[in-house]
Amino acid sequence: MTANAPSAPKRSTAAPTLADDVRADLDAAITALRTGQRTWRALTLAQRRTLLQRVRVATSAVAAEWADTASVSKGLAPGHPLRGEEWLSGPYAAIVALDAYADTLRALAVGRSPLDGVRIGAAPGDRTVVHTSPLSATDALLLSGYATEVWLQPGVDAATARREAGLSQLDPASAGGVGLVLGAGNITSIPYLDVLYELLASNRVALLKVNPTQDALVSVFERALAPLIEPGFLRIVRGGGDVGAYLTQHPEIDHVHITGSEATFRSIVWGPSHTPAAAGAATRRRREGRPLLKKPITAELGGVSPIIVVPGRWSDADLRFQAEHVVTMRLHNSGHNCIAGQVVLLSDDWAQRDAFLDALRTAYDRAPSRPVWYPQSQGKLDAARTSYPDAAWCGGGTRALIETTPTDAGILETTEYFSPVLGVVALRGTGQEFLDSAVAHANERLVGTLGANVLIDPETQKSLGDGFERALADLRYGTVAINAWTAFGFLTPTATWGAFPGGTLEDAPSGMGVVHNALLLDHVERTVVRGPFRPFPRSASSAMRGYGLSVLPKPPWFVTSRTGAAVCEGFTRFRIDGNPAKMALTLVKAFGA
C-alpha cells in the first residue's frame, strides 16, 4: 500500500484471514479503484466511447492468443474441430459487445435514445417488444435467419422504453462506486462482459476476481483491458474462495456480481456451510432474514434448461438436424455451461418419437470426443450413473443419455449436472395440449429460470397461431429460444442475459438482474431468440411457403460442424477487420459444414 493510502478499514468478523501481503495488495487495488471512480465520472459520453474503441484495438490484438489459450486450458489440441467454440464465446463475444456499447454511447452523446431507429412491437400480456437484432447488415449476413427481441415487463410502453434506455449513462456523472465481479470459470468472455456492464449500466468501476480455472487467461485479459486498467477503472486479481470471501465483505466494495453456482451465492449472502456449525449459523441467518452480505448483489446462477420438442411432421433431414441441435445444446464446452440444454420434453404421442430418439442417440454418440475438464464434473457424472443405472452411456462411455418418465425424473430435473448428462422426459399430448403441458412442466418441475428452448416446425407453429405466442409468454425464463439455442441470446450483445425476474436473496435459483443489454434497456423481463427450423438450402423451400429464409447452412457452433473451427475464427476476424475478401472465403468454408 502506498505511503499516503488510508489506513486499513475495519473488517467484519466474518472476513477470512489472508496473508498480510495478499490483503495489502487487495486493499491497494480497491484504493486505486476509488480514485479511478472519480476519473470515470468526469468522462463525457464521447470520451467513454473513445475509450471503448481503444479497448477494441487492444482486444483485437490478443484475439488469437485468447482463443488458443482457452482451447489449450480445456484440453482442445491444435486442429481439434471444436476450437471454434473458444473463438465465438471469447473474443467474438467481446468485440461485438464493444461495438454495440459504442453505438449506444454515440446515440446518447448527441441526445438521442439508443432505441431511435429500432423496431418496437408488442407481445401478449401488455408487453412491449424491442427487436434487438439484427440491427446491421453484418448481423443479417453472418447470422442469417436469427433474430432476438427483448420483452419488457408488462405495462411498460414504448415511450417509456425509449426515454429510459441508457440506464446510468443518462447521468454519467452519477456515483456508482466500486463493484466486485466474481468471474465465471467456464466461458471466457463472461468476466470481460460483466466488467463492461458494471461500467456502463451502473457507472461502477470494477474489481475482477478471475476464477482459478481461467488463471491462464489473466495476462490476456490484462492486455485486452489495459485501456481500462491504466486510468484506474479496472483491477484484476486472482485467488480462490478465501479471496472472494474477503472481498465480498470488504467495506469499500459497494456491489457484488457473481456468475457461478447457487451454492456459492448462498455462501456469499448467508455465510459458508463448510462445517456443521457454520451451516447452522447460515441457516439461522436465512430464517431470520439477516444476510451476512450487507451490500447489493446481482447474480447469474444457471439451472436446468428444458428443450421442448413440439410434435409435427418432420422429414428425415429435419430429424437429423434437430437431433444435432439438441446435442450441441448439451455438449458445447463439454456440457460445462449454465445454459446447457439438459432435459428434452418429448411427446409420447408423437408419431415420430422413436425416429427422433434414434437420431438423437446417434448424434449424441458420434459427436467429437473431448475432455470433461471442469472441476468436480466427473463427480456429477458418477452421481448420474448412480441415480440412473439404466442410462445409456455414449461417446465411449463419456456422456449419459437418460430416458425416463415424469415420475422418475425428479433428480434429473432438480440437479444442474454441468457435465455431459442429457435427459429425455416423456409427456402426453400433441399440438397446443402438449405445448401447454410442457410449458407448465418446465415452469413447475425444473430448477431455475435462466433459459428454455423450443423446437417447432413452421407448419405446426402456424397451425397453433396465437396460442404459440401465449405459450411463450407463459414460460418463466430469462431467455426463450425458438428453433435456436438460448446461448445465441448470450452471444448477442443487444439482447439481455439473466434469470426471469422475481429472484430474491432467499430464493434465486438462477440469480437476479441481467447483464450484456448493450442498448441499456430498463424494466427487462426476458429475451426471445428466433431461429430457422431448417438450414440452407432446405430453408429455401420453407421461405417459398412464407416461413422465412436462412442462407446459413449448418451453424458453425454446432458440435457436428466439420468446418466450425475455421468458420468461427473467420467470423471473429471479420468482426475485427471487416475484410470482405477474407469473409467470402469463410462463407465458402461454412457451406462445407
Side-chain angles (χ1 to χ4, degrees):
M1 192 175 293
T2 59
N4 60 349
S7 59
K10 294 181 179 179
R11 306 290 167 205
S12 163
T13 56
T17 301
L18 293 174
D20 288 345
D21 59 335
V22 173
R23 188 171 61 249
D25 287 345
L26 296 174
D27 291 346
I30 296 172
T31 298
L33 288 168
R34 281 288 170 193
T35 301
Q37 162 70 12
R38 294 192 291 271
T39 306
W40 174 257
R41 291 171 58 193
L43 294 184
T44 66
L45 294 173
Q47 289 171 326
R48 294 178 186 191
R49 181 171 181 271
T50 298
L51 182 64
L52 291 189
Q53 291 171 328
R54 290 180 55 209
V55 174
R56 190 187 198 280
V57 171
T59 299
S60 300
V62 299
E65 183 183 353
W66 181 341
D68 183 64
T69 302
S71 297
V72 170
S73 72
K74 298 179 181 184
L76 300 178
H80 196 287
L82 297 181
R83 275 188 160 226
E85 292 180 0
E86 300 311 315
W87 278 95
L88 277 191
S89 63
Y92 178 96
I95 293 295
V96 295
L98 288 167
D99 288 345
Y101 282 124
D103 287 345
T104 290
L105 291 177
R106 178 171 54 192
L108 292 170
V110 296
R112 294 190 294 108
S113 168
L115 298 189
D116 286 356
V118 176
R119 183 162 60 96
I120 295 180
D126 192 26
R127 291 174 171 90
T128 293
V129 173
V130 181
H131 293 270
T132 54
S133 76
L135 296 179
S136 70
T138 298
D139 291 341
L141 171 66
L142 298 189
L143 306 171
S144 173
Y146 290 85
T148 63
E149 54 200 51
V150 172
W151 292 16
L152 304 182
Q153 295 171 12
V156 179
D157 60 23
T160 300
R162 289 191 180 93
R163 184 176 63 252
E164 298 188 358
L167 298 179
S168 72
Q169 300 309 299
L170 295 172
D171 182 13
S174 61
V178 177
L180 170 65
V181 173
L182 299 174
N186 58 334
I187 296 296
T188 61
S189 64
I190 291 177
Y192 183 110
L193 297 175
D194 289 349
V195 164
L196 293 182
Y197 199 66
E198 285 289 289
L199 279 170
L200 296 167
S202 303
N203 256 0
R204 280 191 290 266
V205 296
L207 177 64
L208 167 62
K209 191 196 82 66
V210 174
N211 188 291
T213 63
Q214 295 196 11
D215 275 354
L217 280 164
V218 168
S219 172
V220 174
F221 288 155
E222 288 175 339
R223 281 173 284 143
L225 296 166
L228 300 180
I229 295 172
E230 291 161 2
F233 306 151
L234 171 67
R235 288 292 182 270
I236 302 175
V237 299
R238 308 171 192 244
D242 54 347
V243 171
Y246 176 80
L247 292 173
T248 59
Q249 291 296 311
H250 200 291
E252 295 298 313
I253 293 291
D254 300 295
H255 180 273
V256 175
H257 177 78
I258 176 177
T259 301
S261 71
E262 187 183 5
T264 302
F265 175 82
R266 289 198 302 268
S267 179
I268 291 170
V269 174
W270 304 105
S273 301
H274 54 285
T275 66
T283 299
R284 285 192 299 275
R285 280 191 291 268
R286 189 174 183 181
R287 184 174 58 244
E288 297 167 3
R290 297 185 296 104
L292 180 67
L293 188 70
K294 304 301 183 184
K295 61 199 67 176
I297 184 171
T298 52
E300 191 265 89
L301 305 175
V304 175
S305 294
I307 307 167
I308 298 172
V309 180
V310 182
R313 296 178 59 185
W314 295 11
S315 68
D316 290 345
D318 293 335
L319 292 168
R320 289 192 299 271
F321 178 78
Q322 294 301 344
E324 293 179 24
H325 199 176
V326 170
V327 169
T328 295
M329 296 180 196
R330 177 68 268 181
L331 294 184
H332 179 279
N333 199 29
S334 200
H336 309 317
N337 287 334
C338 57
I339 198 57
Q342 181 167 304
V343 175
V344 178
L345 299 177
L346 194 66
S347 172
D348 240 355
D349 299 318
W350 185 22
Q352 294 179 288
R353 171 188 178 277
D354 291 343
F356 177 75
L357 284 176
D358 286 344
L360 181 61
R361 294 186 196 103
T362 299
Y364 199 57
D365 190 55
R366 293 180 180 176
S369 62
R370 66 179 302 167
V372 173
W373 62 270
Y374 202 79
Q376 303 178 350
S377 288
Q378 187 58 52
K380 294 289 187 71
L381 284 173
D382 295 340
R385 192 184 300 272
T386 300
S387 299
Y388 294 97
D390 295 330
W393 286 83
C394 305
T398 61
R399 53 191 76 140
L401 181 60
I402 301 165
E403 298 177 38
T404 188
T405 66
T407 301
D408 297 325
I411 297 174
L412 175 69
E413 295 179 336
T414 56
T415 303
E416 183 188 5
Y417 280 104
F418 215 72
S419 58
V421 176
L422 179 65
V424 179
V425 177
L427 303 178
R428 303 307 302 268
T430 59
Q432 192 72 49
E433 176 191 10
F434 169 80
L435 180 57
D436 290 343
S437 173
V439 167
H441 189 97
N443 285 340
E444 297 164 11
R445 297 281 297 270
L446 274 61
V447 166
T449 66
L450 188 60
N453 312 274
V454 181
L455 303 179
I456 182 169
D457 66 272
E459 293 86 355
T460 300
Q461 182 175 338
K462 183 178 180 181
S463 72
L464 297 181
D466 292 342
F468 181 74
E469 294 296 317
R470 287 197 299 271
L472 293 188
D474 288 340
L475 269 170
R476 296 194 297 270
Y477 287 85
T479 299
V480 177
I482 304 102
N483 295 329
W485 179 24
T486 46
F488 188 91
F490 171 92
L491 200 64
T492 304
T494 48
T496 58
W497 186 251
F500 193 77
T504 65
L505 294 181
E506 293 77 15
D507 182 23
S510 286
M512 301 184 295
V514 300
V515 290
H516 303 181
N517 187 24
L519 294 172
L520 299 180
L521 300 172
D522 204 357
H523 313 297
V524 168
E525 182 184 69
R526 75 183 84 190
T527 281
V528 174
V529 180
R530 300 182 192 265
F533 180 74
R534 298 181 177 98
F536 187 84
R538 292 188 301 114
S539 62
S541 61
S542 295
M544 292 176 65
R545 298 195 298 275
Y547 297 139
L549 174 67
S550 172
V551 299
L552 193 68
K554 182 183 292 184
W557 54 86
F558 269 39
V559 295
T560 52
S561 174
R562 295 189 300 271
T563 60
V567 174
C568 292
E569 178 180 349
F571 277 16
T572 307
R573 293 192 182 279
F574 181 68
R575 291 289 189 177
I576 290 172
D577 62 24
N579 187 309
K582 292 180 180 178
M583 189 62 226
L585 293 175
T586 296
L587 291 176
V588 170
K589 294 176 183 177
F591 279 87

